């Protein structure tokens, strides 16, 4: 019998705070609400996808060859911002066996009617593109010695303030 009364006391001792909590606030008590406002915020990070040209090659004595296009596939940017694509290169094809042998070249932007040397461009909308062409003058081909030539072209894609 003692065991049962000890258990009962422990049970009631544990239950007492729950009963007091429930009894403190009668079920019929009125609650008041005040009008107010809250702010819901969400931040969308800038996102964009840009496709740039990959490796290409030219045949001997070709003066121009398509290099591909810079294409802006997706854009989610803030007002006043843009995606800037810049190009960095030596603009000299170097002979792998003769460091003094070079063939100067240009990377041109635009079509044949209005092409110009490409260094950078800014984009703000999906679908914008810049066709690129590699150009080598006939005179420079005539000076070329035999061998394998190459150069590295580095494209940098940046999220920047839009220039006017």
């Amino acid at each position: 019998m003692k065991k049962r009364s000890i258990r009962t006391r422990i049970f009631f001792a544990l239950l007492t705070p729950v009963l007091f909590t429930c009894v403190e606030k009668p079920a019929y008590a009125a609650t008041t609400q005040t009008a107010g406002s809250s702010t819901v915020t969400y931040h969308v990070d800038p996102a964009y996808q840009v496709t740039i040209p990959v490796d290409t090659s030219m045949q001997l004595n070709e003066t121009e060859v398509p290099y591909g296009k810079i294409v802006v596939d997706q854009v989610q940017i803030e007002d006043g911002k843009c995606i800037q694509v810049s190009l960095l290169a030596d603009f000299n094809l170097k002979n792998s066996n003769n460091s003094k042998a070079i063939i100067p070249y240009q990377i041109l932007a635009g079509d044949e009617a209005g092409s110009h040397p490409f260094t950078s461009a800014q984009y703000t909308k999906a679908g914008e593109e810049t066709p690129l062409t590699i150009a080598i003058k006939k005179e420079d081909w005539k000076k070329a010695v035999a061998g394998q030539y190459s150069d590295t072209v580095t494209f940098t894609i940046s999220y920047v303030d839009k220039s006017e």
Side-chain angles (χ1 to χ4, degrees), residues 18-29:
V18 174
L19 291 174
F20 284 131
T21 304
C22 293
V23 174
E24 270 181 33
K25 210 170 199 184
Y28 59 85

Side-chain angles (χ1 to χ4, degrees), residues 63-129:
T63 56
E64 287 191 3
V65 65
Y67 184 34
K69 296 178 184 179
I70 297 170
V71 180
V72 179
D73 299 313
Q74 295 180 28
V75 175
Q76 271 184 300
I77 59 175
E78 300 167 289
D79 288 337
K81 297 284 190 173
C82 68
I83 299 133
Q84 181 170 299
V85 179
S86 303
L87 178 143
L88 180 64
D90 291 338
F91 299 107
N92 287 310
L93 296 170
K94 294 160 213 67
N95 188 304
S96 60
N97 295 323
N98 180 349
S99 61
K100 293 181 183 179
I102 61 166
I103 302 172
Y105 71 97
Q106 288 185 310
I107 295 180
L108 305 174
D111 56 20
E112 293 174 19
S115 61
H116 58 280
F118 180 84
T119 54
S120 71
Q122 294 186 344
Y123 305 92
T124 58
K125 295 181 282 194
E128 291 181 304
E129 61 183 44

